[in-house]
Amino acid sequence: MTRLDKLVSMGSGLSRTEAKKAIRQGRVTVCGRKVSDPDMKVGEQAGIGLDGAALKVPEYVYIMMDKPEGVLSATEDKSQQTVLDLLPEIYKKRDLGVAGRLDKDTTGLLLITDDGSLNHRLTSPKSKAGKLYKAYLDMPADQSDKEAFACGMQLSDFIAAPAVLEINESDPRECLVTISEGKYHQIKRMFAKRGKTVVSLRRLACAGLYMDPELGSGGFRELTDEEIAGLFDKCGLKATKKISKNC
Ligand code: URA
């Protein structure tokens, strides 16, 4: 159960103060009945109306973003732009988090959600959700790199689990890497161990979810129900209802 003013704010983009005012003015209905108490507790599945139109208040939101270079994978920062700064106000009323951070200079698939269970499953050290990256190196990768990645690799503080390295035959500086963990700077550190520097890095997929090529740098959209179900399935979570239903 959630406070009505919070749900109205989440579903309409109004500030909490504006939502309270709208409720007190009798502009809000719950299950078709006019209400006036902003503090009233309402189930996420209750049908809420504002000025006669049904509000969609998803319990959780799941956003895919094509993270641009130079933006932090954080929810707030005093001096630098974060991925949340790229989202419209309506999402900022939620307790959003980034499921699997990318370095400031890494681009590509970023999942942003307020669903703590999914976030936890995707980012926990035990998570085996595969992540696919495209890396461009300062020098060509070769068969010995492939074998080293496949064997797992001792880094300064942990042993990286076996990873799959695919090398582009026509440009061996370009590689696809699939890892099952998400440790800090993992890809860059694995290549560094092989004496190679990652010049650019882009995440293409995570837990079976592929970057939507239509988004473009800095673009975002909510996941489809099928995409959410796919992620839940990969993480061993039960699917829940995404959108509030009318009474
Ligand atoms: N590995 C890295 O080195 N950096 C990232 O941003 C993601 C994976």
Side-chain angles (χ1 to χ4, degrees):
M1 303 284 266
T2 309
R3 284 176 58 107
L4 179 60
D5 58 345
K6 184 171 183 199
L7 291 176
V8 170
S9 171
M10 289 194 311
S12 65
L14 294 177
S15 68
R16 283 291 273 277
T17 310
E18 290 165 338
K20 280 184 187 144
K21 197 168 162 194
I23 296 164
R24 291 204 183 96
Q25 286 171 336
R27 292 163 54 201
V28 172
T29 52
V30 175
C31 298
R33 265 182 295 183
K34 216 178 250 188
V35 289
S36 58
D37 179 9
D39 300 339
M40 107 186 241
K41 299 279 192 301
V42 182
E44 273 85 7
Q45 305 298 317
I48 300 173
L50 173 66
D51 296 332
L55 286 186
K56 277 188 176 175
V57 190
E59 187 175 2
Y60 299 116
V61 291
Y62 304 86
I63 298 167
M64 165 195 292
M65 178 182 281
D66 187 342
K67 179 195 162 308
E69 201 178 337
V71 177
L72 291 186
S73 293
T75 49
E76 55 180 282
D77 190 87
K78 284 200 182 82
S79 55
Q80 300 188 62
Q81 191 179 37
T82 73
V83 289
L84 282 213
D85 294 328
L86 303 179
L87 295 177
E89 281 305 312
I90 192 157
Y91 292 119
K92 295 181 187 163
K93 306 188 184 307
R94 291 176 171 270
D95 193 13
L96 289 172
V98 173
R101 293 178 173 218
L102 294 174
D103 297 338
K104 188 176 171 187
D105 59 354
T106 301
T107 65
L109 179 65
L110 200 64
L111 185 66
I112 302 169
T113 182
D114 50 356
D115 182 341
S117 312
L118 181 69
N119 194 334
H120 177 72
R121 290 283 176 114
L122 285 171
T123 54
S124 109
K126 288 188 195 143
S127 166
K128 290 280 166 277
K131 296 154 193 83
L132 174 67
Y133 290 88
K134 182 154 90 176
Y136 200 76
L137 309 176
D138 64 338
M139 61 176 87
D142 56 32
Q143 186 60 26
S144 66
D145 296 320
K146 220 170 165 165
E147 285 159 14
F149 272 59
C151 287
M153 208 180 269
Q154 176 71 61
L155 297 176
S156 59
D157 53 343
F158 78 105
I159 300 172
V164 180
L165 176 63
E166 297 163 77
I167 304 169
N168 182 342
E169 280 176 17
S170 52
D171 180 0
R173 290 169 63 186
E174 188 180 279
C175 305
L176 291 178
V177 189
T178 306
I179 56 173
S180 56
E181 306 150 305
K183 297 268 173 38
Y184 188 58
H185 290 336
Q186 183 163 341
I187 303 268
K188 290 174 187 166
R189 291 171 67 196
M190 289 175 83
F191 278 113
K193 177 95 185 182
R194 302 292 307 156
K196 287 159 193 176
T197 302
V198 173
V199 177
S200 72
L201 187 62
R202 180 168 174 76
R203 183 155 64 198
L204 303 177
C206 175
L209 176 72
Y210 281 78
M211 184 76 239
D212 180 344
E214 302 291 310
L215 287 183
S217 178
F220 63 88
R221 67 162 170 81
E222 287 193 31
L223 298 189
T224 63
D225 288 347
E226 289 71 30
E227 288 169 332
I228 296 167
L231 281 179
F232 273 55
D233 196 38
K234 273 264 166 12
C235 296
L237 284 171
K238 279 205 184 113
T240 53
K241 284 263 178 292
K242 187 183 159 223
I243 305 289
S244 311
K245 295 274 178 256
N246 288 330
C247 296

